[in-house]
Every structure is written in structure tokens, then in C-alpha cells.
Amino acid sequence: DPANTPRFAGNVSLTSKLETVADLSASFKFKKVSSLVALSLENSNFHWDMNGDNFMDNPLTNRVAFFNKWSIERKDKRIATFYARYLFEDRFGGQMNTPGHLTGSDQYYTEWIRTNQWQAGFQYQLPLKAKVLLSADYSEHYQEAYFGLNYYTGKQRTAYAQIAWNKQVDKVNSLLFGASYRLKYYSDNTGLSNDSVTGTGNYLHVGGIFLEDELTLAVNHKLLIGARFEYNNSSGPVATPRMIYKWNSLNEKNVIRVSLGTGYRSPNLLNDGFGALNGSRKIVVAEKLKSEYAVTPSINYTRLQELTGGLLNLDFSAFYTWFTNYINPDYSQPGLIVYANTKGGAMAPGFSGNADFTFNYPL
């Protein structure tokens, strides 16, 4: 929220690998309008070759990210925010002491990628008694790269809109209902965006509705039940339900969340499709690909502990994800990369722990 951010904040760091990062932000307020401006810079241009193999250990990186957000105070604390961001990144790696003009040549092996990305959007609460929030977002992403001799260029455009209605029905039930639409366009020079190869065109249309009910079972017990139903022109209809139970101690210093969630994605051939860039293999999509689907149970525990001199925040999580129709490229046939639906699955268990301490004095 731009209205609550510091007038100025800076964070600058330098690592032993001579990587420099600077994050700067400033905010201002004029009558009922607040604005936040943030700038992030990263520079890493020292040629490291600690194992002596004549290849750079880390890519040379130059990155600039800019973000701006505006917030307007409205009657009854209705939301009205607008934002925009821009990202530029240039990464280069390969043989040591490669002249810049020989990128993509057969004299030196290099890998280089340049990214330009911008995004803009807003959230606006309609002037109604009911809480109805309208959101929209548009972004464009351009990349070009060399992988050895192979040149890649691609562009992606994504438009998104959503309307959501939130209502406290009674002391127990808080309902959230809405609808969304996403349009994605993707094109590149690899053939992976060619509908004669993938079976789908450059445009992906995704429409959906969602419903959630947050039940307050007791002072320190809550249960969230929800589901999203979507249809896209690539892989058809899909449902993604979820359920979350939350318990917190009466002093709210301890919180436990137990959840069961589901998710999906349309298969992205580009993940492994760079093998087709050098022309040694041809991509074959054996059938119309269905969505990859995942089910994840998880548990999370957080604790806030007040100590002399500051506040300790502990966070522990464990999860187990099971994928169905996990689509992997098949390289078993010479000269081919074959994609097809699978009956098998994949599993990804894991855990994480985090602790941070906030001092009472400004550090």
C-alpha cells in the first residue's frame, strides 16, 4: 500500500563474488492520492573461473527493474489502485574472454539471453453496497538469445480480467464468488508455437468461475472450502478444489494451517523444446495433450515470539505433491522428441523452515 510505505528506503549489498544489488524506493502523498516508486538494479560483470576450465562460473548479469503504484482514497475505504512495472535483463555466459561481437559464432561457445518485459494493471472496487472488486492486467514479454550457434527469439502477451464479489453472510460464513478470463499469445522461431506441431494455435483462451466459503467455527478455528472451474481451448475443462483448516492460539502467537489443494497447468513444450533448436531432433506431439494436474496436502506452523530487544518469527512447512499426467519429453527414438499423455505420475515431497528476528531499534 503506497500510503503506508516509508518516504525513502534503500538496500544495497555486495557479495564476495562482486555481485552488486541495489533496491531503492520512495513514496509521496498528495491529498487523497498516494504513490510508490521502486527501482532495483543488479550488476555482476566479473569473469570468475575458479575451476580453471576456461568457462565462466557465473553468468555476467545486468538487470534493471522499475515499479510504480498509485492508490486513491475513496469513500468507505473502497479500493482503487493502479500499477506498472518494467524489467530489462541481459545475461551472458560461456568461454572466458569471448569478444562481445563473436556471440553466436563458431569460434567461441557462448550463451546469451536478453529480456524486455512490461506490465500494467489495476484493482477497482465498484461503488456498490456489496464488495465487488474488478481486476485487470496486461503484460508483454520479449526475449532473444543465442545458445551456441542457435538463435532464439520469442514474444508473449497476456491479458487477464477478474471480477469478485465478497460478502459476510452471517457470523459463520464469508462467501467469495467470481469469474475470470485470461488470453495468452505466444510465438517464437522454434516451431513450438506452430499449430501444425502442437495441435493448438498461438492463442490460449481460459475462462473460469470460482467460489469460496470461509467458515468461522469458533474464536480460534476457521475452515476455508473453495473450488475453481475453468475451460481452455487447449486442454478442455478442469476443476481445482481446495480446503484449508486454520487454528490459532487465543493470543494469536501460534498458528497452524493444514491444507489440501489442487492445481493444473497446460503443458509447456518450450521447457524442453530447445533441443529442437539445433535441428538434430524433430518435435512430435502424438496426441492432443491434456492438462497436467497436481494434488498437494501440506501443513504450516508459525509462531511470533516477543524477546528482549525484538520480535522472533518462526515458520515451518511440509508438503507432498502428487502429479498426474506428468508430461515429459521422450527422447528414446533417434531424431525425435515425442510428447504424449501419460498414465503415470510423479511425486515431490519437501519441507522448509524459516526464522527471522526484527530488532526494536532501526536495524
Side-chain angles (χ1 to χ4, degrees):
D1 185 354
N4 297 329
T5 53
R7 290 289 179 91
F8 178 79
N11 181 14
V12 181
S13 66
L14 175 68
T15 73
S16 59
K17 289 292 184 70
L18 302 182
E19 300 163 311
T20 306
V21 177
D23 296 313
L24 308 172
S25 68
S27 66
F28 62 88
K29 185 175 182 180
F30 180 73
K31 294 184 178 180
K32 294 186 177 183
V33 178
S34 303
S35 182
L36 165 69
V37 179
L39 181 68
S40 178
L41 307 170
E42 180 180 345
N43 178 273
S44 177
N45 281 301
F46 193 86
H47 295 64
W48 291 97
D49 180 20
M50 301 184 72
N51 58 1
D53 63 355
N54 198 36
F55 277 82
M56 283 180 271
D57 297 337
N58 299 327
L60 309 182
T61 303
N62 292 286
R63 179 173 60 85
V64 177
F66 173 80
F67 178 76
N68 183 216
K69 184 175 182 180
W70 296 77
S71 176
I72 302 173
E73 291 183 17
R74 298 173 61 209
K75 185 180 178 181
D76 298 326
K77 296 184 178 180
R78 293 190 179 102
I79 298 171
T81 60
F82 306 86
Y83 62 86
R85 71 177 182 90
Y86 172 74
L87 170 71
F88 170 82
E89 185 177 69
D90 191 290
R91 294 166 65 89
F92 178 85
Q95 285 181 252
M96 295 286 287
N97 305 317
T98 302
H101 66 281
L102 290 180
T103 299
S105 76
D106 57 0
Q107 298 182 43
Y108 295 86
Y109 182 80
T110 58
E111 293 187 354
W112 165 81
I113 187 166
R114 176 174 290 168
T115 298
N116 278 282
Q117 187 182 94
W118 71 271
Q119 179 180 11
F122 69 86
Q123 285 187 318
Y124 184 79
Q125 187 175 339
L126 301 182
L128 305 171
K129 286 187 177 180
K131 188 176 180 180
V132 181
L133 188 64
L134 178 64
S135 307
D137 184 277
Y138 180 79
S139 64
E140 292 190 355
H141 189 168
Y142 299 90
Q143 279 192 342
E144 58 177 332
Y146 271 106
F147 299 90
L149 295 173
N150 306 308
Y151 177 68
Y152 165 81
T153 180
K155 57 178 174 281
Q156 178 176 295
R157 301 186 181 104
T158 304
Y160 180 77
Q162 174 177 285
I163 188 167
W165 171 73
N166 184 238
K167 183 174 178 60
Q168 185 73 42
V169 179
D170 49 37
K171 293 182 179 180
V172 176
N173 297 277
S174 177
L175 288 178
L176 176 67
F177 176 77
S180 64
Y181 171 73
R182 183 188 302 273
L183 171 64
K184 181 183 287 185
Y185 169 84
Y186 176 78
S187 176
D188 66 25
N189 66 333
T190 67
L192 293 174
S193 57
N194 190 332
D195 57 0
S196 64
V197 175
T198 63
T200 58
N202 289 0
Y203 290 92
L204 179 68
H205 302 268
V206 184
I209 58 173
F210 56 91
L211 174 66
E212 280 187 357
D213 186 10
E214 184 182 89
L215 297 96
T216 303
L217 306 177
V219 176
N220 54 346
H221 297 273
K222 286 190 176 183
L223 180 66
L224 180 74
I225 302 174
R228 176 182 285 270
F229 304 92
E230 289 190 338
Y231 181 87
N232 72 69
N233 62 317
S234 172
S235 50
V238 65
T240 50
R242 68 169 179 155
M243 181 169 61
I244 304 172
Y245 166 76
K246 176 187 174 183
W247 172 88
N248 59 270
S249 57
L250 292 177
N251 60 10
E252 297 188 350
K253 291 183 178 180
N254 299 279
V255 178
I256 296 176
R257 292 180 179 88
V258 180
S259 68
L260 179 65
T262 58
Y264 83 99
R265 71 165 191 169
S266 299
N268 184 1
L269 304 191
L270 186 64
N271 286 349
D272 296 279
F274 284 114
L277 272 173
N278 57 20
S280 63
R281 288 180 178 264
K282 179 182 178 182
I283 290 179
V284 176
V285 180
E287 57 186 326
K288 187 174 178 65
L289 299 179
K290 299 177 182 178
S291 297
E292 296 178 312
Y293 202 81
V295 180
T296 303
S298 66
I299 185 169
N300 170 260
Y301 169 73
T302 59
R303 175 173 175 81
L304 288 175
Q305 180 66 51
E306 295 179 1
L307 299 173
T308 303
L311 184 67
L312 176 65
N313 183 19
L314 301 174
D315 190 301
F316 300 97
S317 296
F319 66 88
Y320 185 95
T321 302
W322 181 52
F323 298 92
T324 60
N325 193 38
Y326 187 69
I327 296 175
N328 258 336
D330 181 1
Y331 293 93
S332 62
Q333 302 181 50
L336 298 179
I337 305 175
V338 181
Y339 290 89
N341 295 309
T342 62
K343 294 183 179 179
M347 294 166 287
F351 67 91
S352 66
N354 185 71
D356 62 74
F357 187 80
T358 305
F359 294 94
N360 288 336
Y361 52 91
L363 174 65

